Amino acid sequence: MKILLSDIATLKSSPAIDDTGLLILACVTIAFIAALVVTIFSNNRARKAAIQTANVTSIMRHALEIGGVSTVKFNMMHRYVKSTFGDLLPKEGVTYEEFMERIHPEDRPVFDRFITHISQQTGDSNEVSFRWNSQTQVQTTIWRNVYATGLAEGLMLPRNVVCTITDETKEMKEQRQEHELTDRYQSIFRKSIAGISFYDKNGVILVANENMAEIFHFQSEHDPYYFGKSIFRRPPFRDIVDPDNLEEMNFCTHITIPERGVNSFMEIMFKPVRNGEGMVQNILLVIREITEERDMYLQAKENDRQTREANEKIQNYEAELLYLMENCDMRVWRADFNTHKVTFHKQLSQIEREMTFEEFADLITDGRTESAKNKFSTPDAFFNKPVTYLLQMRPVFHDRSTKEWNLVNSIPLFDKNGHQTGSFGTIRNMTQLIEAQEKLKEETRRANDSARLKSVFMANMTHEIRTPLNAIVGFSDVLSMIESPEDKKEMVRVIMNNCDMLLRLVNDILEVSGMDANAIKLEPVDVDFSLAFNDICETLKQRVQEPGVEFIKDNPYKTFPTYLDPKRIQQVVTNFVTNAVKYTHEGHIKVGYRQEERTIKNKLVAGGLETKQGIYVYCEDTGAGIPKDKQSSVFERFVKLNDYVQGTGLGLSICKAIANRSGGQIGVTSEGEGHGSTFWMWVPCELKQAL
């Protein structure tokens, strides 16, 4: 640079060069210097740019690693795919066909169109989602949900397509779980048995569920009478809630809103919802209508009052019983083990009657004569301690054609050596007392049952009705979310079965109500029961829907003309089959009948027995069977054989009432659990010639 400047000065001082030449030379020199400076600065910028590019590339690779993103390049000419970042593919790459083999078969056409559109630059979208097999072994498949974006290299005729692929399996799973949880909470909110609503911190309603709208008789989804107005200005909240000092509280109150026809007793939970700083953000209100519960409580109090009155009557009966005991017949008796005789004394010094132990045992008429004889034959073992027996026996002191109850007390007697020589005690005629006790038991039962029968019956009704109703509501809620036709068909079948169960239960309740109010009415008619039985079986066959259960009809007659009430017989057979369907899941359910002659009790004929013709109907199943200790109670109302299966409901109790009203018999035979059971009924009827 110094040489150039000195040269310029020399040239300028030279007389041979004019001003124009000097100017041109200066311009050339400046241009050269500028070019040199630009070159130096360009090299510096290139080095800085290279460093910056390396830094950016490192940052991008780090970001790709953190985000779990892989990049692949599709060579469209050679149809080959290689990973440019990540371990999605082997280092040597794979063919396009091998890459497609790891895509879910349903998603392959979509991905192929995606690559084709990008390579031909004809697609409107450069992104796609598909399922990718993360396992390289052919026999192992683990599908992952991935998201890909693509870009073609080149402008005119792209030879490569570069794609970024992101694994979204975890995000999609979390999103699905979040949606399911949200739907579950929304379902709980909508279908809660209590009314639930949310308010802002000023008490203005934001949202309310269906029960809340029903309790307060909303006229629309956003009833202006309730929405947009603060509850702090409405009773009962304006009287008990301080808007400036909100606290959680629970209370019961009577709410009346004439404008909406609300007049109910309600149980209310008022709960402020606070943020992390303790500031009230929202208010939760949970309301449960308790008008019916209050009525039941008042009814229970009334029942208690009636029970107290009944107890007072019982006390009066007890006073009467005490009077009877003080004035009843009483004798003192002695048993001598040496003479084997029993003596009775009206006075201790006077024997009123004497008999042997065997003669005393012969007086017992309550079915325990042999047992009594055996006991009295070894009196030293029988009377070796104080005992009391209530015995039904023929009178000891007067006419033996009647029967009476005697209470026998015994205390052992010993000699001076401690050996038992006999016993003594009292024998009292308790006949009148027993009769009074029976009346007392009946009054006591009525008094106690009056307070609990209604609540027990209502509890059973609630449980039995809730069982099919829960199934109907539950499956109806999820029916719209099921896509499989087979699953929908199965759910519809379950809903229809429970609807049928609920309808039968309601009909049984109506039938039982009629039974309690009036006796069952029979309407016998002339009927060919063989034809009627076939019609009954055609209807009942539809109830047996278990794949492994066969319905068998046993009709032994071509014609069976008789005179009976076919509707009542159909009702009994229907209840038998319905009960069998509950407990039979494999094997068969067999229904049949036959003509049968039986001997029944009849006090109006000589001997007390009468032989009658009748019809025997039965239902045999290979179901769960009935334990022998519970067979005697299955015809009661709402009997549960165990805690894990449905109860018998009302059907069998109705069958028993029909059998009793018809003057017939009903029963069940079973070898126990796991051996099936046979329910049967025999009723007398006028029979003609059966073929």
Side-chain angles (χ1 to χ4, degrees):
M1 180 69 69
K2 293 180 179 179
I3 296 173
L4 289 176
L5 293 176
S6 61
D7 290 343
I8 292 174
T10 304
L11 290 174
K12 187 174 181 181
S13 62
S14 176
I17 300 176
D18 56 10
D19 293 336
T20 301
L22 184 60
L23 180 61
I24 293 173
L25 182 59
C27 290
V28 171
T29 303
I30 293 173
F32 176 78
I33 294 172
L36 182 60
V37 172
V38 169
T39 301
I40 294 172
F41 277 101
S42 296
N43 292 335
N44 290 334
R45 283 199 300 270
R47 285 193 296 271
K48 291 181 179 179
I51 294 173
Q52 186 176 4
T53 301
N55 291 336
V56 170
T57 302
S58 177
I59 292 173
M60 291 179 63
R61 292 178 66 89
H62 187 63
L64 292 175
E65 290 176 355
I66 293 176
V69 179
S70 299
T71 59
V72 297
K73 179 184 288 188
F74 292 79
N75 188 315
M76 304 308 298
M77 178 176 294
H78 300 290
R79 296 182 66 79
Y80 201 78
V81 188
K82 291 191 65 176
S83 287
T84 57
F85 182 80
D87 56 354
L88 189 69
L89 298 174
K91 293 182 179 180
E92 65 274 14
V94 295
T95 64
Y96 185 83
E97 289 72 21
E98 291 175 340
F99 184 90
M100 293 294 288
E101 283 294 324
R102 293 181 63 180
I103 297 178
H104 195 281
E106 296 177 0
D107 299 337
R108 290 171 188 170
V110 177
F111 185 83
D112 190 62
R113 287 194 298 270
F114 161 75
I115 294 296
T116 302
H117 289 168
I118 292 178
S119 62
Q120 296 177 357
Q121 297 182 345
T122 59
D124 296 329
S125 175
N126 63 344
E127 58 185 14
V128 68
S129 295
F130 59 93
R131 284 163 287 182
W132 173 262
N133 182 10
S134 61
Q135 299 297 307
T136 57
Q137 292 82 1
V138 177
Q139 68 275 14
T140 306
T141 301
I142 298 179
W143 296 109
R144 311 288 293 180
N145 296 290
V146 298
Y147 169 81
T149 59
L151 180 66
E153 288 185 344
L155 298 176
M156 299 301 295
L157 186 60
R159 298 178 58 187
N160 299 317
V161 174
V162 179
C163 292
T164 62
I165 299 178
T166 306
D167 189 346
E168 293 185 326
T169 304
K170 181 178 180 181
E171 290 77 7
M172 294 184 67
K173 182 178 180 181
E174 292 176 350
Q175 185 178 15
R176 183 168 59 253
Q177 291 176 344
E178 181 178 352
H179 285 318
E180 291 175 353
L181 186 61
T182 301
D183 293 341
R184 188 178 299 115
Y185 281 125
Q186 288 180 350
S187 177
I188 294 173
F189 175 77
R190 292 194 305 269
K191 302 299 182 181
S192 174
I193 61 175
I196 303 175
S197 57
F198 286 91
Y199 300 78
D200 63 18
K201 61 183 180 181
N202 298 317
V204 177
I205 188 170
L206 300 174
V207 64
N209 69 351
E210 296 175 2
N211 274 353
M212 183 67 79
E214 182 179 349
I215 291 173
F216 285 100
H217 300 173
F218 282 24
Q219 294 183 351
S220 61
E221 185 176 358
H222 295 87
D223 191 336
Y225 183 83
Y226 296 101
F227 283 79
K229 300 178 181 178
S230 175
I231 60 171
F232 299 146
R233 300 178 182 177
R234 296 179 178 274
F237 303 96
R238 67 184 180 189
D239 301 323
I240 61 177
V241 176
D242 182 4
D244 299 325
N245 187 20
L246 297 179
E247 296 180 355
E248 181 177 349
M249 59 182 66
N250 296 274
F251 57 93
C252 296
T253 185
H254 181 211
I255 296 180
T256 57
I257 305 177
E259 294 84 354
R260 290 296 183 268
V262 177
N263 184 13
S264 301
F265 289 87
M266 300 182 186
E267 183 182 57
I268 300 175
M269 184 190 78
F270 180 91
K271 181 178 180 62
V273 181
R274 305 178 184 274
N275 59 17
E277 290 75 28
M279 303 298 294
V280 175
Q281 294 292 107
N282 297 99
I283 298 172
L284 170 64
L285 197 64
V286 180
I287 296 181
R288 189 169 66 90
E289 189 173 10
I290 58 172
T291 303
E292 293 183 1
E293 294 181 12
R294 180 177 180 273
D295 294 340
M296 292 177 63
Y297 170 75
L298 295 178
Q299 182 63 42
K301 290 186 64 176
E302 176 63 20
N303 292 341
D304 290 341
R305 184 190 63 80
Q306 295 177 2
T307 302
R308 286 194 298 272
E309 292 180 356
N311 289 333
E312 292 176 0
K313 292 181 180 179
I314 292 173
Q315 291 177 358
N316 294 333
Y317 281 122
E318 290 176 348
E320 295 175 1
L321 289 174
L322 180 60
Y323 175 80
L324 292 174
M325 291 177 64
E326 291 175 349
N327 294 275
C328 68
D329 292 337
M330 180 179 293
R331 301 290 192 279
V332 175
W333 65 274
R334 291 178 180 272
D336 192 330
F337 292 171
N338 294 325
T339 61
H340 241 62
K341 289 184 178 180
V342 180
T343 57
F344 299 90
H345 309 261
K346 197 169 187 178
Q347 298 178 0
L348 293 178
S349 60
Q350 181 180 352
I351 298 177
E352 184 176 358
R353 188 173 179 187
E354 185 180 57
M355 63 181 67
T356 65
F357 291 142
E358 289 77 9
E359 290 174 338
F360 181 81
D362 289 336
L363 295 176
I364 301 173
T365 59
D366 63 352
R368 297 182 294 178
T369 303
E370 291 300 324
S371 176
K373 286 182 178 179
N374 294 334
K375 291 177 179 179
F376 279 109
S377 64
T378 56
D380 53 342
F382 182 67
F383 293 109
N384 60 0
K385 59 182 179 180
V387 293
T388 300
Y389 267 89
L390 182 64
L391 301 174
Q392 187 184 45
M393 55 193 306
R394 291 188 297 273
V396 179
F397 307 105
H398 49 82
D399 185 12
R400 296 189 177 185
S401 62
T402 61
K403 296 179 182 180
E404 63 184 19
W405 288 96
N406 286 296
L407 184 65
V408 181
N409 303 96
S410 173
I411 299 176
L413 292 173
F414 301 92
D415 60 14
K416 60 181 181 179
N417 297 320
H419 300 292
Q420 186 177 359
T421 58
S423 61
F424 82 100
T426 61
I427 178 170
R428 291 177 290 175
N429 187 344
M430 305 290 290
T431 304
Q432 293 182 355
L433 182 60
I434 293 299
E435 292 175 353
Q437 282 183 337
E438 291 300 322
K439 293 180 181 180
L440 176 62
K441 289 179 181 179
E442 180 64 20
E443 288 296 328
T444 303
R445 185 187 65 80
R446 291 179 181 178
N448 293 332
D449 288 349
S450 64
R452 66 179 177 83
L453 279 180
K454 180 178 179 181
S455 59
V456 170
F457 184 78
M458 290 301 297
N460 287 329
M461 283 292 92
T462 302
H463 174 75
E464 293 293 328
I465 292 176
R466 188 187 297 117
T467 300
L469 194 59
N470 283 342
I472 294 170
V473 173
F475 282 100
S476 298
D477 283 344
V478 300
L479 185 61
S480 61
M481 296 183 286
I482 301 302
E483 297 181 357
S484 172
E486 291 80 9
D487 292 342
K488 281 190 176 181
K489 183 178 179 181
E490 178 63 18
M491 287 193 178
V492 170
R493 184 187 70 80
V494 173
I495 292 173
M496 295 303 296
N497 286 346
N498 282 275
C499 289
D500 184 57
M501 184 189 304
L502 186 60
L503 181 61
R504 291 199 306 271
L505 181 59
V506 173
N507 290 335
D508 288 345
I509 294 172
L510 296 176
E511 184 74 20
V512 170
S513 299
M515 287 166 47
D516 293 340
N518 305 290
I520 290 180
K521 296 181 180 180
L522 299 178
E523 298 178 357
V525 295
D526 289 319
V527 62
D528 186 348
F529 189 74
S530 177
L531 299 178
F533 183 76
N534 288 335
D535 294 338
I536 293 172
C537 290
E538 285 300 319
T539 301
L540 296 178
K541 185 177 181 180
Q542 308 302 320
R543 295 179 182 266
V544 183
Q545 298 183 2
E546 287 277 356
V549 179
E550 179 185 5
F551 181 81
I552 301 175
K553 177 181 69 176
D554 178 18
N555 189 345
Y557 308 106
K558 294 181 179 179
T559 178
F560 194 87
T562 183
Y563 183 74
L564 50 72
D565 188 339
K567 294 182 180 179
R568 291 299 184 185
I569 300 297
Q570 178 177 2
Q571 187 176 6
V572 170
V573 176
T574 300
N575 285 334
F576 283 173
V577 172
T578 300
N579 190 65
V581 169
K582 292 180 185 178
Y583 302 99
T584 306
H585 304 292
E586 62 180 5
H588 68 266
I589 296 176
K590 183 178 180 181
V591 181
Y593 74 99
R594 64 176 178 266
Q595 180 181 351
E596 188 173 289
E597 183 179 87
R598 289 198 174 191
T599 301
I600 60 176
K601 294 181 180 180
N602 189 344
K603 297 180 180 179
L604 301 179
V605 299
L609 297 176
E610 180 183 12
T611 301
K612 278 193 174 185
Q613 292 289 340
I615 184 172
Y616 174 88
V617 296
Y618 70 93
C619 176
E620 172 188 309
D621 66 71
T622 58
I626 303 174
K628 292 184 178 296
D629 59 336
K630 295 185 178 180
Q631 292 180 12
S632 60
S633 63
V634 294
F635 292 97
E636 298 175 4
R637 300 177 183 179
F638 299 111
V639 175
K640 287 181 72 63
L641 301 181
N642 61 60
D643 295 332
Y644 304 99
V645 297
Q646 188 178 358
T648 59
L650 298 169
L652 294 181
S653 65
I654 295 175
C655 294
K656 182 178 180 180
I658 293 174
N660 293 339
R661 181 67 179 85
S662 303
Q665 300 169 346
I666 193 170
V668 59
T669 58
S670 176
E671 293 301 320
E673 293 188 44
H675 297 282
S677 57
T678 300
F679 285 85
W680 58 268
M681 183 182 74
W682 178 89
V683 293
C685 60
E686 298 179 11
L687 300 176
K688 301 178 182 180
Q689 186 64 35
L691 300 178

